[in-house]
């Protein structure tokens, strides 16, 4: 599995974020704004991000998508040396760098187009561009016409079938990979580019680095046409983007459920494909303006980080900022943000950070299969399953609590609130709070660590540890547990040890063995009574039992809701 399949991605538009001038003047002074990116590293780490996707940073005249020079950083942002320093800092922090590759078109100030303007039919570069016709004129009255991107004649379409153009672009990409160590490219307007270009691009970059990431911007169509073993690794998933906010706004989970099942279910057309998931970006209205009810934000982001694919956060949205695409302008979508002035304790930011870190901790959220469990207008339950884990997501859009039940042969733990749900007749019953999303996990029994010792072996292990750390002394019983080291809490308290701790060890090992056999049975209440009534320090007892208690959590927590609740919560929160 490559790094990008496991990554949480952060998308930042540098020309906007750092307050750059709207138009680049060639003679203007170089501004070293790009170095401000280094100040964002602690924020991205706290947020749980593994990759930074930067909007266009190559030399351009306006918004960055009108490239002038593919070999040079935009002077409004800094220099190539600045960028090298930035990449080095991010790599040291464990964060990958993805650049925006705008190869479908260039700006009118691109050197080859300037030569065409000057030399017209005799230009050596006349075949570098598509649709050049000297019998027609352009809106700029150039004396010839040419193909452009969607009617924007300031964006001149390159002829990617021309070997000279291809060679020029690959040399630029080679420089950014070899000299600056970038980790991937996002291919702008990928749906407008011939497949042959992507095939040659993939061959070129994968020969240099097998894990180099190729992401295509595709809005409509079958994403398999672009993302496959011969071309790109991934595409943007606009179908799910629309389905997410639309389902919340219309109170109709059937829309997003249909898309997710069609894409990732048992017969999903994109099953196993790491599509790029997002709720907003530099081209669309911010999610805080797109959602009709701001109380839906937490549940929506919970879905973003638990559905299959690569989740992405667009800079600023973690603070709930607003921005609408209106009057033909994207300016409000790409604001200046000073990271040092932002609220580090914002509620939405904290929630997104928790979700991002949870995704790293739960293997089912990275590689698990997707299965739909319950779909209703305002309730949605799905699960992700891999060999090590089953992870369930349950959402409620209703403004009232909602109780539902679904099949499960395993207990499930609420990974946020640490509540435990045990099956009755192989069915879990949940009461979902209003406007909520509950995240539940259960490790699968067949994957439990069978290397843990049984009860007798555990006692022997404690004895051996004690023998290694104590001077030799007479012992009346060779199986007697010697108190020392982490067991020193019981020095001179052997009676307490015999009355409370040893039964606790017995009970824990008994429950553990039951759990391994997927036979939940009943708790040894007489043993738990002894622990509870003694008032003994739970952590102290557990230190004696075993250094790693993860496998015991679900077992003890079967008593959730009983008089043992305090005991249980101390254990779970350790």
């Amino acid at each position: 599995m490559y790094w990008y399949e496991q990554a949480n991605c952060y998308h930042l538009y540098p020309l906007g974020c750092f307050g750059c001038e709207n138009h680049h003047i060639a003679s203007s002074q170089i501004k070293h704004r790009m170095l401000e990116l280094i100040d964002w590293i602690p924020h991205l780490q706290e947020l749980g991000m593994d990759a930074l996707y930067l909007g266009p940073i190559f030399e351009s005249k306006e918004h960055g998508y009108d490239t002038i020079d593919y070999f040079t950083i935009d002077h409004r942002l800094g220099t190539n040396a600045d960028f090298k320093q930035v990449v080095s800092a991010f790599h040291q922090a464990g964060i990958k760098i993805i650049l925006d590759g705008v190869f479908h078109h260039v700006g009118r100030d691109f050197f080859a187009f300037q030569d065409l303007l000057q030399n017209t039919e005799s230009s050596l570069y006349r075949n570098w561009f598509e649709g050049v016709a000297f019998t027609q004129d352009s809106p700029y009255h150039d004396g010839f016409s040419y193909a452009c991107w969607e009617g924007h004649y300031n964006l001149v379409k390159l002829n990617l079938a021309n070997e000279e153009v291809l060679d020029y672009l690959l040399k630029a990409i080679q420089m950014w990979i070899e000299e600056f160590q970038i980790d991937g490219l996002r291919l702008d307007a990928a749906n407008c580019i011939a497949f042959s270009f992507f095939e040659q691009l993939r061959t070129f970059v994968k020969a240099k680095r097998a894990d180099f990431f190729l992401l295509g911007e595709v809005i409509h169509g079958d994403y398999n046409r672009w993302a496959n073993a011969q071309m790109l690794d991934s595409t943007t998933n606009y179908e799910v983007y629309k389905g997410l906010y639309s389902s919340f706004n219309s109170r109709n989970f059937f829309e997003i459920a249909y898309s997710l099942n069609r894409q990732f279910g048992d017969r999903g057309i994109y099953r196993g494909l790491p599509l790029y998931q997002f709720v907003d970006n530099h081209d669309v209205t911010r999610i805080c303006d797109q959602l009709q009810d701001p109380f839906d934000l937490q549940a929506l982001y919970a879905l973003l980080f638990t559905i299959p694919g690569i989740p992405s956060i667009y800079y600023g949205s973690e603070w709930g900022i607003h921005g609408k695409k209106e009057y033909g302008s994207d300016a409000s979508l790409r604001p200046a943000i000073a990271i040092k002035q932002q609220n580090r304790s914002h509620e939405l930011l904290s929630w997104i950070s928790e979700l991002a870190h949870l995704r790293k901790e739960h293997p089912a959220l990275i590689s698990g299969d997707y299965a739909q469990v319950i779909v209703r207008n305002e309730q949605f339950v799905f699960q992700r399953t891999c060999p090590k884990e089953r992870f369930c997501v349950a959402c409620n859009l209703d403004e009232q609590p909602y109780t539902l039940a679904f099949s499960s042969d395993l207990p499930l733990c609420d990974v946020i609130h640490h509540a435990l749900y045990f099956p009755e007749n192989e069915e879990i019953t949940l009461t979902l709070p209003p406007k909520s999303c509950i995240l539940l996990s259960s490790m699968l029994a067949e994957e439990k660590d069978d290397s843990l010792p049984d009860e007798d072996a555990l006692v022997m292990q404690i004895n051996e540890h004690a023998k290694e750390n104590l001077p030799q002394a007479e012992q009346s019983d060779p199986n007697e547990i010697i108190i020392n080291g982490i067991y020193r809490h019981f020095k001179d308290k052997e009676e307490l040890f015999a009355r409370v701790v040893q039964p606790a060890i017995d009970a824990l090992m008994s429950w553990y063995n039951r759990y391994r056999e997927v036979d939940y049975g009943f708790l040894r209440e007489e043993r738990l009574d002894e622990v509870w009534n003694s008032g003994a320090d739970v952590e102290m007892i557990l230190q004696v039992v075993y250094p790693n208690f993860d496998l015991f959590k679900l077992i003890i927590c079967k008593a959730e809701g009983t008089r043992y609740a305090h005991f249980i919560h101390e254990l779970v929160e350790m």
Side-chain angles (χ1 to χ4, degrees):
M1 180 178 292
Y2 291 121
W3 63 266
Y4 49 81
E5 298 175 75
Q6 308 172 60
N8 297 318
C9 192
Y10 194 82
H11 174 195
L12 186 143
Y13 181 79
L15 291 173
C17 183
F18 302 126
C20 297
E21 299 81 4
N22 291 333
H23 291 82
H24 176 205
I25 301 173
S27 60
S28 62
Q29 185 179 2
I30 295 175
K31 306 290 180 63
H32 299 277
R33 296 179 172 113
M34 176 171 284
L35 293 175
E36 295 179 36
L37 274 171
I38 295 174
D39 295 334
W40 285 70
I41 291 176
H43 173 65
L44 267 61
Q45 288 178 314
E46 291 174 13
L47 200 56
M49 298 295 110
D50 308 290
L52 172 63
Y53 151 39
L54 291 172
I57 61 173
F58 303 146
E59 193 81 276
S60 67
K61 186 174 182 178
E62 297 181 59
H63 41 62
Y65 292 97
D66 54 336
T67 311
I68 296 173
D69 185 351
Y70 286 97
F71 291 84
T72 306
I73 296 295
D74 194 304
H75 288 177
R76 292 172 289 177
L77 293 170
T79 64
N80 286 21
D82 292 339
F83 181 61
K84 183 174 288 188
Q85 185 177 339
V86 166
V87 175
S88 176
F90 273 82
H91 281 174
Q92 287 178 23
I95 300 173
K96 306 289 188 181
I97 296 291
I98 303 166
L99 295 187
D100 215 331
V102 187
F103 304 132
H104 174 268
H105 50 262
V106 294
R108 284 172 56 87
D109 287 350
F110 183 63
F111 81 95
F113 191 75
Q114 284 293 305
D115 187 276
L116 179 60
L117 289 173
Q118 182 176 348
N119 297 306
T120 61
E121 294 185 64
S122 61
S123 171
L124 296 176
Y125 301 100
R126 60 178 293 178
N127 293 323
W128 275 44
F129 308 98
E130 285 198 16
V132 175
F134 292 98
T135 58
Q136 301 175 12
D137 201 3
S138 73
Y140 288 92
H141 304 297
D142 299 314
F144 59 90
S145 65
Y146 51 88
C148 62
W149 179 75
E150 296 191 354
H152 297 275
Y153 278 84
N154 59 328
L155 304 176
V156 188
K157 187 175 181 181
L158 284 170
N159 178 12
L160 297 177
N162 184 318
E163 289 295 328
E164 293 179 356
V165 175
L166 178 64
D167 184 61
Y168 170 85
L169 294 176
L170 293 182
K171 283 181 179 176
I173 294 168
Q174 179 177 359
M175 184 195 79
W176 295 112
I177 294 176
E178 294 182 353
E179 186 176 342
F180 297 87
Q181 305 299 312
I182 67 168
D183 303 288
L185 286 170
R186 177 262 192 188
L187 290 312
D188 183 64
N191 54 298
C192 302
I193 295 176
F195 292 165
S196 58
F197 174 77
F198 293 134
E199 290 169 352
Q200 294 175 86
L201 175 64
R202 182 185 184 89
T203 299
F204 182 81
V205 300
K206 297 295 184 179
K208 297 186 177 302
R209 277 181 49 187
D211 68 343
F212 192 84
F213 182 42
L214 292 175
L215 165 66
E217 181 199 23
V218 179
I219 298 176
H220 304 295
D222 179 359
Y223 300 142
N224 283 309
R225 299 180 65 209
W226 291 269
N228 53 60
Q230 291 74 44
M231 292 166 53
L232 307 180
D233 300 305
S234 177
T235 69
T236 51
N237 195 344
Y238 271 86
E239 179 184 341
V240 163
Y241 152 72
K242 192 270 179 183
L244 281 172
Y245 77 77
S246 181
S247 291
F248 280 86
N249 285 346
S250 63
R251 294 294 182 265
N252 177 20
F253 267 134
F254 283 94
E255 179 178 355
I256 188 59
Y258 174 82
S259 290
L260 291 173
N261 196 54
R262 186 180 82 92
Q263 292 190 358
F264 304 114
D266 280 344
R267 299 181 180 179
I269 59 175
Y270 306 138
R271 186 180 171 90
L273 194 62
L275 295 181
Y276 185 86
Q277 312 285 21
F278 59 97
V279 296
D280 50 13
N281 63 28
H282 65 300
D283 283 331
V284 301
T285 293
R286 292 271 182 175
I287 191 60
C288 279
D289 284 306
Q290 195 72 265
L291 272 187
Q292 295 172 1
D293 187 343
F295 290 103
D296 289 334
L297 271 173
Q298 287 204 356
L300 180 138
Y301 274 109
L303 290 186
L304 176 67
F305 278 90
T306 55
I307 62 176
I310 305 168
S312 173
I313 299 297
Y314 184 46
Y315 83 106
S317 287
E318 67 268 36
W319 293 291
I321 71 170
H322 293 263
K324 292 184 178 180
K325 187 180 182 75
E326 53 190 357
Y327 309 119
S329 172
D330 294 324
S332 66
L333 310 177
R334 309 169 182 182
I337 293 181
I339 184 62
K340 294 181 179 179
Q341 298 175 10
Q342 298 305 307
N343 181 1
R344 302 294 286 273
S345 60
H346 192 282
E347 182 180 357
L348 182 59
L349 182 151
S350 299
W351 175 239
I352 292 172
S353 175
E354 186 163 16
L355 291 170
H357 284 95
L358 278 173
R359 184 173 178 270
K360 296 171 185 283
E361 296 164 4
H362 292 274
L365 297 181
I366 301 294
S367 59
D369 292 339
Y370 171 87
Q372 183 174 290
V373 178
I374 293 175
V375 186
R376 294 169 187 158
N377 282 345
E378 295 186 322
Q379 290 76 38
F380 181 30
V381 180
F382 65 86
Q383 70 180 23
R384 307 283 308 281
T385 307
C386 70
K388 293 183 179 180
E389 181 185 32
R390 179 182 300 161
F391 198 101
C392 292
V393 179
C395 282
N396 178 28
L397 287 180
D398 200 337
E399 295 180 356
Q400 302 297 323
Y402 192 93
T403 300
L404 50 76
F406 56 90
S407 298
S408 178
D409 58 348
L410 290 173
L412 295 173
C413 175
D414 182 333
V415 298
I416 302 296
H417 305 102
H418 306 298
L420 265 290
Y421 299 88
F422 285 82
E424 296 288 342
N425 299 319
E426 297 193 345
E427 191 172 75
I428 293 279
T429 299
L430 292 177
T431 296
L432 303 176
K435 299 280 189 181
S436 68
C437 189
I438 294 182
L439 309 178
L440 305 156
S441 172
S442 181
M443 293 181 67
L444 298 183
E446 60 268 25
E447 292 297 321
K448 288 295 185 181
D449 187 355
D450 290 327
S451 65
L452 282 179
D454 60 20
E455 185 175 346
D456 292 336
L458 181 62
V459 173
M460 292 177 61
Q461 180 180 340
I462 294 174
N463 276 327
E464 290 302 316
H465 176 86
K467 289 176 183 177
E468 293 172 4
N469 290 276
L470 267 185
Q472 293 297 318
E474 291 186 8
Q475 297 184 40
S476 58
D477 183 350
N479 292 320
E480 179 183 358
I481 298 180
I482 300 175
I483 312 301
N484 185 57
I486 63 172
Y487 320 117
R488 67 183 181 279
H489 305 291
F490 293 95
K491 184 70 173 175
D492 300 321
K493 297 180 182 178
E494 288 80 1
E495 185 277 335
L496 175 63
F497 184 94
R499 182 173 64 82
V500 175
V501 179
Q502 187 61 62
I505 292 175
D506 295 341
L508 283 168
M509 292 311 303
S510 173
W511 298 336
Y512 167 64
N513 288 330
R514 287 176 181 273
Y515 180 62
R516 284 199 306 177
E517 298 166 3
V518 199
D519 175 15
Y520 302 101
F522 56 89
L523 288 174
R524 300 272 296 279
E525 288 214 11
E526 71 280 6
R527 293 286 173 84
L528 193 54
D529 279 337
E530 290 184 84
V531 177
W532 177 256
N533 295 330
S534 73
D537 185 320
V538 174
E539 181 176 354
M540 182 166 56
I541 294 172
L542 292 173
Q543 282 181 330
V544 177
V545 176
Y546 201 74
N548 181 349
F549 312 112
D550 287 346
L551 295 179
F552 298 125
K553 288 181 182 179
L554 287 176
I555 310 310
I556 294 184
C557 286
K558 186 170 182 180
E560 179 67 85
T562 71
R563 62 186 182 280
Y564 308 117
H566 177 70
F567 176 92
I568 290 157
H569 283 298
E570 282 192 68
L571 173 64
V572 172
E573 291 170 5
M574 285 177 53

